[in-house]
C-alpha cells in the first residue's frame, strides 16, 4: 500500500494541476482558413457573452450581441481590446468570468481582419 501512495499522488496532481485553465489555451488550434461569423464567431459569442449581452441585456450590459450587426459594431468599438485584457482588470470581458481563450480571441481578430464575412 505504501508503494501505491506516490503513484496515487502523481495521478492526483496530474489531473487537478490545470483544472482552472481553458483547454484551448493548453492546446494549439488553428484559425480556420475560411472564417465567418456564422461558423466561427457566433458560437464564441453564444457560449461566452449572451448571459449578459442577450436580448434583453442583463446585469447592466450596455448592448446586445445577438446579431451579426451587433457583434460587428462591438468589434469596431473596442471589443477585442476588452476581451484581451487580463482577467479581473478594469473593463475586461466577460465581466466576472474567465477570460476567453487566446484561440477564441484570435478567431474574432481574424474575422475582423477578413472584413467581417457573414
Amino acid at each position: 500500500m505504501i508503494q501505491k501512495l506516490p503513484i496515487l499522488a502523481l495521478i492526483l496532481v496530474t489531473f487537478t494541476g490545470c483544472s482552472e485553465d481553458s483547454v484551448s489555451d493548453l492546446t494549439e488550434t488553428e484559425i480556420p482558413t475560411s472564417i465567418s461569423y456564422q461558423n466561427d464567431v457566433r458560437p464564441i459569442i453564444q457560449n461566452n457573452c449572451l448571459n449578459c449581452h442577450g436580448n434583453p441585456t442583463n446585469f447592466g450590459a450596455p448592448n446586445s450581441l445577438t446579431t451579426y450587426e451587433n457583434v460587428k459594431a462591438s468589434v469596431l468599438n473596442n471589443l477585442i481590446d476588452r476581451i484581451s485584457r487580463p482577467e479581473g482588470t478594469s473593463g475586461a470581458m466577460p465581466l466576472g468570468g474567465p477570460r476567453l481563450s487566446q484561440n477564441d480571441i484570435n478567431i474574432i481578430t481574424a474575422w475582423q481582419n477578413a472584413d467581417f464575412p457573414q
Side-chain angles (χ1 to χ4, degrees):
M1 178 67 177
I2 293 175
Q3 292 176 348
K4 293 181 182 178
L5 196 55
I7 294 172
L8 181 59
L10 180 62
I11 292 170
L12 190 62
V13 168
T14 300
F15 287 108
T16 61
C18 295
S19 62
E20 297 299 318
D21 292 325
S22 166
V23 172
S24 59
D25 280 343
L26 299 174
T27 58
E28 292 283 332
T29 55
E30 293 185 26
I31 303 297
T33 54
S34 172
I35 197 159
S36 71
Y37 171 77
Q38 191 66 29
N39 293 329
D40 305 297
V41 175
R42 185 171 175 252
I44 296 169
I45 300 299
Q46 287 180 322
N47 291 330
N48 297 284
C49 308
L50 294 186
N51 276 345
C52 298
H53 294 275
N55 189 9
T57 61
N58 295 310
F59 309 112
N63 61 315
S64 173
L65 294 176
T66 57
T67 68
Y68 166 86
E69 291 80 14
N70 296 147
V71 176
K72 179 180 176 182
S74 290
V75 169
L76 291 170
N77 192 27
N78 246 1
L79 178 67
I80 293 173
D81 171 59
R82 306 239 5 229
I83 62 175
S84 298
R85 294 178 189 179
E87 224 175 281
T89 59
S90 178
M93 288 287 130
L95 183 63
R99 183 177 180 265
L100 273 85
S101 71
Q102 189 59 51
N103 188 67
D104 287 349
I105 295 167
N106 292 346
I107 288 172
I108 295 170
T109 301
W111 178 61
Q112 178 183 28
N113 292 341
D115 201 26
F116 306 101
Q118 288 193 22

